[in-house]
Amino acid sequence: MELTTQQIVALAILIALPLLAAVAVYWPARNEGFRRGHAIGYREGFDAAEARLHAELDESAERCSGAERLLAATRSELQRVQKERDQTRHNATEALEELTLRLDDAQALNTTHAGLLRQSAANHRLAAASWRSLGVTLKEKDARTLAERLTTLADRLRPQGITDKEAA
């Protein structure tokens, strides 16, 4: 049996048509399966990553909330310490003002007392001179000693930096 060219071509077409039909079905099916496989793999990978990262996210959120609580406590403590510092500063300022007023009063009083002591010393010097003119040396000596002591005490009462002219 001899095959003619037409018969060979017809036989080749008959063999090629089922192959082409198989390839026509196989290739799109393979591409769709590959795409769906990727989609399934993508979904599975996404779900796995989401589960793993969700645990890390929960842990990070817990650490952040712990840090926020610590920060809030630290801020509260800082505000308390600042209020305490301000109160201490206020108290110190008031105490300083009060002590300054008391010092001013004491210096004025010391100046007054120093003046009185100087006047008393002058009176004792005058008395000593009178005792000397009368010839009573023992009383004169006592009056001069007392006048010197009163002058020394007046000098001690004089505030720092004030001269004799200012004190008088």
Side-chain angles (χ1 to χ4, degrees):
M1 168 167 178
E2 279 191 38
L3 294 175
T4 64
T5 309
Q6 289 180 347
Q7 290 176 340
I8 293 177
V9 171
L11 186 60
I13 288 177
L14 284 178
I15 293 175
L17 278 180
L19 284 176
L20 283 176
V23 167
V25 170
Y26 173 78
W27 195 258
R30 178 182 174 276
N31 286 339
E32 183 66 21
F34 189 68
R35 189 179 59 76
R36 284 192 181 189
H38 276 313
I40 291 171
Y42 173 78
R43 242 183 321 213
E44 287 176 358
F46 183 81
D47 291 343
E50 184 182 30
R52 189 189 74 208
L53 293 176
H54 193 63
E56 290 179 17
L57 178 65
D58 290 342
E59 181 183 335
S60 295
E62 177 118 357
R63 279 187 288 172
C64 285
S65 66
E68 287 171 351
R69 284 192 302 270
L70 180 63
L71 181 60
T74 304
R75 280 186 183 152
S76 174
E77 179 67 16
L78 177 63
Q79 288 174 348
R80 185 190 65 77
V81 168
Q82 285 176 339
K83 285 179 184 176
E84 186 177 310
R85 181 203 62 206
D86 292 342
Q87 184 64 37
T88 302
R89 215 180 254 170
H90 178 72
N91 292 344
T93 302
E94 284 181 355
L96 182 62
E97 289 173 2
E98 180 183 343
L99 290 174
T100 302
L101 290 175
R102 288 175 61 186
L103 178 63
D104 290 344
D105 291 344
Q107 285 178 345
L109 192 59
N110 282 350
T111 303
T112 303
H113 287 159
L116 291 174
L117 289 170
R118 288 184 199 290
Q119 287 175 358
S120 181
N123 286 341
H124 279 75
R125 282 190 202 95
L126 183 61
S130 298
W131 287 115
R132 189 174 65 196
S133 66
L134 293 173
V136 184
T137 58
L138 191 57
K139 287 279 191 184
E140 175 203 359
K141 183 180 176 187
D142 287 342
R144 287 204 185 282
T145 303
L146 187 55
E148 289 174 15
R149 286 184 181 170
L150 289 172
T151 303
T152 302
L153 185 57
D155 288 341
R156 285 187 183 168
L157 286 178
R158 182 177 60 205
Q160 298 292 331
I162 295 183
T163 64
D164 287 331
K165 289 179 183 178
E166 292 173 346

